[in-house]
Amino acid sequence: MRVTVIGCSGSFPGPDSPASCYLVEAEGFSLLLDLGNGAVGTLQRFHDVLDIDAICITHLHPDHCLDLCVYWIARTYCPGGPAPRIPVYGPTGTADHMVKAYELEPNPGMLDTFDFRPLEPGPATIGPFTVTTALMNHPVEAYGLRIEHGDRTLTYSGDSGPCPELVDLARGADLFLCEAAFVQRPGLPPDMHLTGREASDHAFKAGVSTLVLTHLLPWNSPEQTLAEARKGDFRGPIELARVGAVYEV
């Protein structure tokens, strides 16, 4: 699998990155994980914007789904005529949520462009990938994703506070894209996000090979997040996600 970081900023786009979006490719199949604000613009730097075969939306906060609106424009009104309809996997009500975000009439809404399908806990086949989902510890219906191709495994946390389900999902993964939105300080809200150290501890418990810290809030110091992660239990390679980074998994 080839994984390209399109956007890794948390909660809102930063000066150097759009919000969450990751491109996963294998056997000529292109899968987007999330499509947060600003992601479609940056996607065009690294990949043909219409050459996408499927999308997984982990949850319906705007920093993970809002650019589905502008991507609908790109596929619906491109000069050569509408692009082929593609599957969009997401939580309950994704199609209705996006129609409201764009203020479209519900019929047809975005259904001529996107084939909305439910994400549910458990395994599914998407193109050449086996994608296993689990509910994460977040205030809304939110999923983490385990993506397997051959004997290689990528796990993407989406958004999550500490939870054993994330450890199970990441068990033995070759690459763990794990959110680290918070820096350690008193009064952090529970059940929402991880700190760098908590991401490291989840990676250690899961026995992953490489940890990449994602969902980095623009007002936090990425160096502090990385330093906190290195104080955790995980002793493998730890990196900060950055736009354009490519991982061969």
Side-chain angles (χ1 to χ4, degrees):
M1 289 183 285
R2 179 183 174 93
V3 181
T4 305
V5 178
I6 305 300
C8 52
S9 186
S11 298
F12 59 96
D16 301 313
S17 174
S20 297
C21 184
Y22 304 87
L23 173 66
V24 185
E25 300 171 274
E27 298 182 27
F29 190 94
S30 299
L31 171 66
L32 284 179
L33 311 182
D34 284 334
L35 205 53
N37 1 11
V40 169
T42 301
L43 175 63
Q44 294 170 78
R45 290 169 48 192
F46 303 106
H47 195 76
D48 183 341
V49 72
L50 298 180
D51 185 22
I52 299 296
D53 298 293
I55 300 170
C56 282
I57 300 295
T58 60
H59 65 291
L60 297 178
H61 283 156
D63 58 321
H64 291 260
C65 72
L66 196 58
D67 256 30
L68 201 58
C69 289
V70 295
Y71 193 54
W72 172 75
I73 296 171
R75 294 193 72 91
T76 303
Y77 297 109
C78 49
R85 191 168 181 249
I86 62 170
V88 174
Y89 298 83
T92 305
T94 297
D96 293 340
H97 183 86
M98 301 317 302
V99 161
K100 291 176 183 176
Y102 203 83
E103 294 194 351
L104 293 172
E105 292 297 324
N107 187 16
M110 296 182 178
L111 296 179
D112 289 342
T113 301
F114 299 135
D115 176 13
F116 288 98
R117 303 180 185 183
L119 271 185
E120 297 174 342
T125 299
I126 301 177
F129 305 112
T130 299
V131 180
T132 302
T133 64
L135 285 166
M136 297 290 97
N137 184 11
H138 204 54
V140 299
E141 182 184 352
Y143 293 92
L145 306 173
R146 180 183 178 93
I147 299 170
E148 296 171 280
H149 180 259
D151 62 351
R152 309 298 285 175
T153 300
L154 157 73
T155 296
Y156 171 47
S157 67
D159 281 8
S160 181
C163 66
E165 291 81 6
L166 179 55
V167 173
D168 292 340
L169 203 64
R171 187 83 59 194
D174 299 287
L175 180 66
F176 185 22
L177 299 174
C178 187
E179 75 119 280
F182 287 157
V183 296
Q184 291 178 323
R185 59 175 173 79
L188 289 175
D191 303 331
M192 188 174 293
H193 294 295
L194 299 170
T195 65
R197 182 159 192 159
E198 288 169 337
S200 172
D201 291 344
H202 280 64
F204 170 75
K205 292 174 183 176
V208 307
S209 296
T210 298
L211 171 63
V212 177
L213 303 173
T214 68
H215 204 267
L216 305 171
L217 269 68
W219 57 54
N220 289 339
S221 161
E223 291 76 18
Q224 181 179 354
T225 298
L226 183 59
E228 288 183 359
R230 287 176 172 163
K231 293 177 183 176
D233 291 332
F234 183 66
R235 290 293 175 263
I238 305 175
E239 300 180 18
L240 294 167
R242 59 177 179 81
V243 170
V246 174
Y247 299 92
E248 299 290 346
V249 181

